[in-house]
Amino acid sequence: MTYIIPDSLYQACKWLACLFLPALAVLIATIGPAWGLANVDAIVLTINAVATFLGAIIGVSAATAKEE
């Protein structure tokens, strides 16, 4: 398959969007208030927005992949 973005970038974005960023958002939402972190909701919202954006990018890349 040939993707719009290189395979290594695709794999990195997939890992970030599907695993790392959602886990980071939950971690910050959970421990942020305990540590007195300001604007926890804004931070979590931003992380989730970035994860959604990356998910859209890899989704478009997968949907437009061409057979070799």
Side-chain angles (χ1 to χ4, degrees), residues 12-55:
C13 287
K14 186 176 172 183
W15 179 79
L16 280 171
C18 296
L19 182 66
F20 179 77
L21 290 175
L24 179 63
V26 170
L27 177 67
I28 290 174
T30 304
I31 68 169
W35 286 88
L37 194 60
N39 300 320
V40 171
D41 291 339
I43 295 168
V44 170
L45 181 65
T46 302
I47 293 169
N48 285 328
V50 171
T52 302
F53 176 75
L54 287 175

